Amino acid sequence: MRVPLVNWDSVCSPKEEGGSGIKNSFVWNVAAVGKLVWWVYCSPDKLWVQWINQVYLKKQSWHDYHPKGDVSWSWKNVCRAKDKLILGFSHGSWSLDSKGYSVGSGYDFLRTRSQVVPWHQFIWHSWTVPKHRFLGWLLVRKALQVKEKLVALGVCQDDLCLLCGRATETHEHLFEDCEYSKRILMGMANLCKVSLPGGDILQGFWQQRRTQVQKSVLMCAFTACFYFIWKQRHTVRCEQVLVHPDIVCKQVHQVVKMRLRVFSNRILGMDRVWLQSTELCK
């Protein structure tokens, strides 16, 4: 059985809380059934609710009702949803009127909450290629299967970096300190006419005093670098082929140039002048 890179609760958290924004289908299903719970509370004129009152509730309080053992599975499922949502109805999360409850609000009430993370804005940036931003998310969570982790799992015998062979392959080494990776990052920095910030490159650029468009361009460019570094690392592992970093940098450049064409209508005024001063679109 394969060990997941990120636990499911974290995957299903909102992006601003460090997750991927995917909905948890089990929680969503409970929230959807909660709509029926809410109808019993506040829509007595609905035919289905009248039938429920006649067959199951029989003038009992819905708030305190517990199903007997001989009722249907579907009705037990509605009652289980009520038990999970009852605090929301009890403490005013929803008003008992025609606009009080929605499946979305029920899901938000039931889901696991985490602290807001400072990196979600630049990791999930809309200008970056989707598969690049997903890898960036795994990177910032330190969830990639670098050799440091693989040795701990007993998958491989040594922990040396596959790109330079000089140090332990950790997240920090592979994407910040590795001489091979630095060649690619420096190549992109030269194309962008910028200096690489120390430490976390994406966060460093994001915190600089630049316009939003300039930050967006840099996120697109350097997230692409990380993706191609990881891709090249896999090429070495699977095919034992190490492409020259200058060639990889040219590949990154082509992808970034095509991506920026998608957003060319948003690059205006001084931002366009800045972009033309770089070599990204050449």
Side-chain angles (χ1 to χ4, degrees):
M1 182 177 180
R2 184 176 178 180
V3 178
L5 299 179
V6 181
N7 71 69
W8 190 241
D9 283 341
S10 296
V11 170
C12 294
S13 295
K15 292 177 179 177
E16 59 269 20
E17 294 179 17
S20 67
I22 295 174
K23 299 290 187 185
N24 186 316
S25 59
F26 296 101
V27 176
W28 185 265
N29 185 58
V30 174
V33 175
K35 195 78 171 179
L36 303 178
V37 177
W38 175 64
W39 282 354
V40 178
Y41 267 117
C42 62
S43 300
D45 295 334
K46 287 184 179 293
L47 182 60
W48 178 80
V49 177
Q50 292 179 18
W51 181 80
I52 289 298
N53 281 319
Q54 288 291 325
V55 175
Y56 292 121
L57 296 184
K58 299 177 180 178
K59 298 185 179 180
Q60 297 181 65
S61 167
W62 175 222
H63 193 77
D64 300 320
Y65 173 82
H66 296 286
K68 296 179 180 179
D70 58 349
V71 300
S72 68
W73 173 88
S74 58
W75 177 240
K76 286 181 180 179
N77 198 36
V78 173
C79 294
R80 281 193 292 268
K82 184 203 72 169
D83 293 340
K84 293 178 179 179
L85 291 163
I86 198 166
L87 287 177
F89 291 110
S90 302
H91 295 90
S93 295
W94 305 287
S95 58
L96 298 180
D97 56 36
S98 59
K99 297 181 180 179
Y101 182 87
S102 66
V103 178
S105 66
Y107 180 87
D108 194 55
F109 176 83
L110 292 168
R111 72 174 179 83
T112 303
R113 278 176 165 69
S114 306
Q115 291 184 340
V116 174
V117 296
W119 43 260
H120 70 93
Q121 289 182 309
F122 59 83
I123 288 296
W124 294 109
H125 201 285
S126 62
W127 284 41
T128 58
V129 177
K131 61 183 178 182
H132 296 180
R133 72 182 75 135
F134 180 75
L135 182 125
W137 174 66
L138 293 176
L139 170 58
V140 77
R141 293 189 64 93
K142 291 184 169 47
L144 294 170
Q145 294 285 37
V146 293
K147 289 185 75 175
E148 178 188 42
K149 287 189 173 184
L150 295 178
V151 168
L153 293 170
V155 176
C156 60
Q157 299 300 317
D158 70 89
D159 61 3
L160 289 179
C161 174
L162 284 166
L163 297 181
C164 70
R166 297 178 181 176
T168 299
E169 188 184 86
T170 63
H171 287 83
E172 292 79 7
H173 170 78
L174 187 60
F175 295 98
E176 295 176 15
D177 302 327
C178 174
E179 291 301 321
Y180 182 93
S181 300
K182 279 184 178 179
R183 288 280 298 273
I184 298 171
L185 294 167
M186 285 300 299
M188 182 54 63
N190 291 335
L191 290 171
C192 296
K193 304 296 185 184
V194 296
S195 299
L196 287 176
D200 189 321
I201 292 174
L202 295 180
Q203 185 172 349
F205 281 127
W206 190 256
Q207 292 176 343
Q208 289 180 358
R209 296 183 63 182
R210 296 180 178 274
T211 67
Q212 195 63 39
V213 168
Q214 291 175 19
K215 290 180 181 180
S216 301
V217 171
L218 293 174
M219 292 305 105
C220 178
F222 286 92
T223 304
C225 285
F226 293 145
Y227 176 84
F228 274 84
I229 288 170
W230 185 247
K231 183 179 179 181
Q232 182 57 36
R233 184 257 187 199
H234 272 288
T235 301
V236 174
R237 185 181 179 193
C238 299
E239 302 175 17
Q240 290 76 50
V241 176
L242 183 62
V243 179
H244 195 281
D246 292 347
I247 296 176
V248 177
C249 190
K250 289 179 181 179
Q251 294 172 346
V252 178
H253 183 199
Q254 290 303 312
V255 170
V256 172
K257 185 165 64 174
M258 288 189 291
R259 184 65 176 174
L260 291 180
R261 288 175 184 169
V262 177
F263 301 96
S264 59
N265 62 337
R266 302 190 195 180
I267 307 174
L268 306 171
M270 294 304 296
D271 290 320
R272 184 170 290 276
V273 173
W274 171 81
L275 185 60
Q276 290 173 345
S277 71
T278 71
E279 297 182 19
L280 284 175
C281 295
K282 295 180 181 179

